[in-house]
Amino acid sequence: MFVHRARFIMVRTKQGIFEMKERLYELERDLPGDQFVRLSKSVIANLDELSRFEASFNVTLCVYFRSGEKEYVSRHYVQGIKKAFQWKRKGL
């Protein structure tokens, strides 16, 4: 999971948490589009690490990671995450 915080990006992996100086849009551009998806203006997630979705208030989704953490998908990104998850499940 990639989280944007002020002047750096926090990257959370199974190996730990790392700081990167790249901008979130630069990472998003370089990451495989069939593997990663934008959840909000400040979060990009690996589709393989998502465990489930839950409907939330105001037509948003709550995304749960295999690690037990959760993030909310901004309304603007709901359709994209649904489509990306369907593609991933179909193996496209």
Side-chain angles (χ1 to χ4, degrees):
M1 175 171 48
F2 301 91
V3 180
H4 173 71
R5 299 281 188 243
R7 295 189 176 136
F8 57 90
I9 295 173
M10 299 294 294
V11 178
R12 185 170 299 143
T13 69
K14 290 178 183 178
Q15 291 75 31
I17 299 175
F18 307 93
E19 290 182 14
M20 298 182 74
K21 292 184 181 181
E22 287 89 351
R23 303 265 187 215
L24 200 58
Y25 71 86
E26 293 171 332
L27 279 175
E28 183 178 30
R29 179 190 62 209
D30 295 339
L31 292 167
D34 62 340
Q35 182 92 23
F36 292 87
V37 66
R38 180 73 79 127
L39 299 183
S40 67
K41 286 184 178 184
S42 60
V43 179
I44 297 174
N46 183 336
L47 288 169
D48 290 337
E49 295 302 317
L50 303 180
S51 66
R52 65 186 173 97
F53 301 93
E54 234 177 53
S56 186
F57 56 92
N58 294 336
V59 194
T60 61
L61 289 176
C62 183
V63 175
Y64 290 86
F65 290 85
R66 294 178 192 269
S67 66
E69 295 186 45
K70 67 180 179 179
E71 285 287 337
Y72 289 94
V73 178
S74 300
R75 243 183 307 177
H76 178 75
Y77 298 99
V78 168
Q79 279 298 73
I81 184 74
K82 285 181 180 179
K83 187 180 289 186
F85 193 69
Q86 287 172 350
W87 287 343
K88 186 71 174 174
R89 291 182 67 188
K90 291 179 182 179
L92 300 175

